[in-house]
Each structure stands twice: as structure tokens, then as C-alpha cells.
Amino acid sequence: MIEVLAKLGRGPVFLAGEVLECVITFTNPLSASSTSASSEMLAWASAQIHCQFHTSENRVALPPSDGIKHDVQAENETVFVPNRGERGQCILSTPPKILFCDLRLDPGESKSYSYCETLPIDGPPSFRGQSVKYVYKLTIGCQRVNSPIKLLRVPFRVLVLHGLKDYQFPQDEVVAPSNPFLEEEEGLKKDSRLADLATELLMVATSRRSLHLYNISNTRGKVGTFCIFKTVYKIGEDVIGTFNFSEGDIPCLQFSVSLQTEESIQEEFQRRRGQPVCFSTHARHQEACLHTAQSSFSLPIPLSSTPGFTTNIVSLKWRLHFEFVTSGESSGTCLVRGSQSEAVTWAGVEQIGVDTFSWDLPIKVLPTNPILASYVSQFSSTNSITI
């Protein structure tokens, strides 16, 4: 028996273009004093990153493949097929890397191997939508002699920041103090610069603030104004907006604001022409606001959500969806006098005519620091199997 443990050193979330590093440890858990202890042999082990693409057959019509790829692998074959048994299509994969050949482990002995690979910068982000899914995995395959291949799959999340692909790092390094006794691999240096560049680009894009003021009106007149100071956000930030109903001519009885994503299939891949777009609500604020002069809301963008993106098959956009319920009468008729005595009591009317209307405001949502997103990831940094 051999235990195989894979650990992602920095967490299960990465930016496209970063280097993924995983330490894979093979252990013979039996101690030398055990009566059944014996040396264990593995013929080989290899690792590869791949992205699986799933679609809803009811909503997405894909063209037929040029060739049929069989991912069914006989148990006695020695061919490493990382996506064996997986649903969907493998749309992206890195070259496989051999970890070792002919490994012998004595009782209680362990050996570790480091796997490093740069994530393709032009791949799609991780996404689990209603019509389309993009799922990334690191698959480690190993085999005993005359035994079936065993696969250990390590799922992880990829965030895509547009603009990194076109950036060219300068050839001349900035002069800085260095330790001549420490060697730093060029790949890790570039990976660090990529993360710093991504952080800087995100900071610049999401820190710009300017007043965006919108008039809220229906066919009968002005209801109020809406104010928001920016329309570009990172996942994990809060969307904050304010309302001013004091200048309105039409009383607003109630409003709601929903933070939504809009998942649409490109026209050439739609199962039915003109099929409806899929909407998902991530946060919602609702408030009764009759006789309210000003109000505000704060909607958090979940760290686990997917930033906006576009591929040749699907696009994901973010928006604020507003719904307003207004009075069909003037504000003075929304209250009635409860009695004719000196002590006046006012009460709400039992019935009132209302009008409803909605409005959508597009916003842009970008990725965040992958280390921050790792804290709420559904994936574990450590995965293991026993063979």
C-alpha cells in the first residue's frame, strides 16, 4: 500500500499565467516493525493540467467533433490519460511531465517531488454556470507493475485578468539589493512580477471614482435620483449606491436592488434561436421607502463568484437590476386621517393603486488577489489517494 498526497503550496486559486506548484509525496505507511512490512514499487508517475468543458444539451448546440477521442482506458494499459472518465470535452491541457520511473519505497519511507507548470494565459476562467462549465484539474497518474493506473485529481480555480496577455516584461531588471548565496529561478521571478502587475492593474482599474447620477422616472414623472461613485469592482468588494426621493414628483413605495450575472450563449451555439438569457442573483436589497427622503444599499460581490468574461461560446456580464413600486396617486393621498378629535392619528390607506417598473445598470466585475480568493474556495489545497 502506498499513500499519495498532493499539496498546492499557495492555495487552490491562481491567475492565468501564474506558475502552479504542487508537492507530491509518496509514502509507504507501514513501519519496519510491522509483520507485513515490505518494500513497495511504483513503475512510474506523471502529472498534467487540463480544463474540462461541460455544456447543457438543452441550451448549447456544439458542432460535431472532427474526430472521436476515446477516453476509455483499459486497466492494463500504461497510457496516461488525465481526463479518463471525465464528462465533457478537454479543451486545454499542458504537456505531461514525468515525476519518476521505478520508485522503490521501504517501510516507513517517503519521497516528495515538486511539479511546476505555467497556467495558459489565454484559457477561460473557472466557471460553473447554468449552461456552461469550465473546470480545471491537476491530474497525477501512477501505476504499479501489472496493475491498473490510478489517478489523483486536484481541482483548482483559475481567474483571468484581461490585459496580462499583452504585457511584455522589460528585459532589464530593476537594480535592487540581492543575496548572492540564494538562487531564484527565473520562472518564479516572472511569476512574482506577474502577480505584482495584476495587483497594480486591478488597483488602478477599481480605485477610480467619479460621480454617476441617474434620474429615476416613469411615464408619469420623476421618482427620484440614484447615485453611484464607480461601476468597476473586484470580487469581494461591496457595491454601494444611494437614492434621493426628496426631489421626486411620484411617491416611491418600495424598491429592490439585485446584483446579478447574465449568462448568454453566442448566437451560433444556441440550441434555439432567441432562447432566453440565464440570470443568477448573488445579493439583493429590498426596502419600503414611502415618505423616505434618502436611502442607500450595500451589496457584497461574493469572492466565490466568477468575474465577467467572454469566450467563443458564452459570455458572462454583471448588472444591477432595480425594481420600483410607485404610487398611482399623489403623495398626499397615501395617508388618511384616523379621527376627527383634537388628537390626530394618521394611518396608511388599505388599498392604493400602484405602478411598477424596472431598470438595469451594467457594471464591470474583475478578479481579485488569488490568495484572498483562496480563503473562501470550495477546493482543498491537499488531496490524497491510497494505491
Side-chain angles (χ1 to χ4, degrees):
M1 180 176 67
I2 294 179
E3 294 179 353
V4 185
L5 178 70
K7 183 175 182 179
L8 298 171
R10 206 203 59 189
V13 182
F14 301 87
L15 279 173
E18 280 193 301
V19 174
L20 179 147
E21 183 175 359
C22 181
V23 177
I24 304 141
T25 303
F26 299 83
T27 304
N28 183 349
L30 294 178
S31 63
S33 60
S34 176
T35 56
S36 59
S38 61
S39 297
E40 297 282 357
M41 292 288 298
L42 281 178
W44 58 268
S46 185
Q48 185 177 9
I49 291 171
H50 58 101
C51 176
Q52 292 295 121
F53 172 60
H54 310 257
T55 62
S56 169
E57 296 182 355
N58 296 329
R59 299 188 56 83
V60 182
L62 295 178
S65 302
D66 295 334
I68 300 176
K69 297 182 179 180
H70 297 281
D71 64 354
V72 179
Q73 172 180 311
E75 290 188 348
N76 60 351
E77 289 184 353
T78 59
V79 179
F80 176 45
V81 183
N83 61 323
R84 172 169 58 94
E86 292 273 20
R87 295 176 54 246
Q89 302 177 12
C90 180
I91 61 169
L92 180 151
S93 61
T94 59
K97 291 185 177 180
I98 298 175
L99 300 177
F100 62 79
C101 291
D102 297 329
L103 174 65
R104 177 189 178 96
L105 292 174
D106 293 327
E109 184 181 7
S110 296
K111 286 193 176 180
S112 297
Y113 299 85
S114 179
Y115 171 84
C116 293
E117 184 62 82
T118 300
L119 297 172
I121 200 167
D122 55 353
S126 297
F127 176 60
R128 293 181 178 270
Q130 300 181 45
S131 302
V132 168
K133 295 180 182 178
Y134 294 102
V135 181
Y136 281 85
K137 293 180 182 179
L138 164 64
T139 298
I140 301 152
C142 49
Q143 184 182 34
R144 295 173 180 268
V145 178
N146 298 324
S147 298
I149 295 175
K150 298 295 184 181
L151 300 178
L152 170 59
R153 292 193 171 98
V154 183
F156 60 93
R157 181 185 179 193
V158 173
L159 301 173
V160 174
L161 178 59
H162 300 288
L164 288 181
K165 179 180 178 181
D166 301 325
Y167 185 83
Q168 298 294 329
F169 288 101
Q171 297 295 326
D172 298 331
E173 294 291 335
V174 178
V175 177
S178 61
N179 189 336
F181 301 101
L182 296 178
E183 294 184 0
E184 186 176 10
E185 295 183 6
E186 181 61 28
L188 295 179
K189 290 171 63 178
K190 183 176 180 180
D191 188 44
S192 175
R193 288 183 294 167
L194 184 74
D196 292 341
L197 172 64
T199 301
E200 182 179 349
L201 291 177
L202 288 170
M203 182 66 69
V204 171
T206 59
S207 62
R208 298 192 185 107
R209 293 178 178 270
S210 61
L211 178 63
H212 297 78
L213 195 62
Y214 302 90
N215 287 323
I216 307 170
S217 304
N218 62 8
T219 56
R220 298 178 55 244
K222 184 177 179 179
V223 177
T225 57
F226 172 68
C227 174
I228 192 170
F229 283 94
K230 68 175 187 174
T231 56
V232 181
Y233 302 86
K234 295 179 293 186
I235 56 174
E237 287 190 310
D238 292 339
V239 181
I240 300 174
T242 60
F243 294 97
N244 186 348
F245 298 110
S246 62
E247 301 176 356
D249 303 320
I250 309 299
C252 185
L253 307 180
Q254 179 179 285
F255 73 87
S256 66
V257 188
S258 300
L259 179 64
Q260 296 181 336
T261 49
E262 173 185 332
E263 178 187 350
S264 58
I265 304 300
Q266 308 295 356
E267 186 175 352
E268 59 268 32
F269 296 106
Q270 292 181 4
R271 178 66 67 180
R272 299 177 304 277
R273 293 293 181 183
Q275 67 186 26
V277 175
C278 294
F279 294 99
S280 298
T281 299
H282 301 272
R284 188 170 186 265
H285 176 89
Q286 180 173 305
E287 184 177 329
C289 56
L290 179 62
H291 299 299
T292 299
Q294 294 182 339
S295 185
S296 63
F297 67 87
S298 177
L299 299 177
I301 304 174
L303 276 170
S304 58
S305 60
T306 302
F309 71 96
T310 299
T311 67
N312 63 323
I313 295 177
V314 65
S315 68
L316 185 76
K317 300 178 181 179
W318 287 77
R319 71 176 191 178
L320 291 175
H321 178 69
F322 299 83
E323 295 181 356
F324 298 95
V325 180
T326 60
S327 170
E329 304 173 5
S330 65
S331 59
T333 60
C334 293
L335 295 175
V336 296
R337 190 167 180 171
S339 66
Q340 299 298 325
S341 61
E342 294 182 0
V344 177
T345 302
W346 293 95
V349 296
E350 295 182 359
Q351 294 183 348
I352 187 172
V354 298
D355 297 320
T356 61
F357 65 97
S358 61
W359 170 52
D360 296 321
L361 176 64
I363 62 172
K364 190 173 183 179
V365 176
L366 303 177
T368 188
N369 189 317
I371 298 177
L372 181 62
S374 295
Y375 293 133
V376 297
S377 176
Q378 61 177 333
F379 301 131
S380 172
S381 298
T382 304
N383 294 265
S384 64
I385 59 169
T386 300
I387 58 176

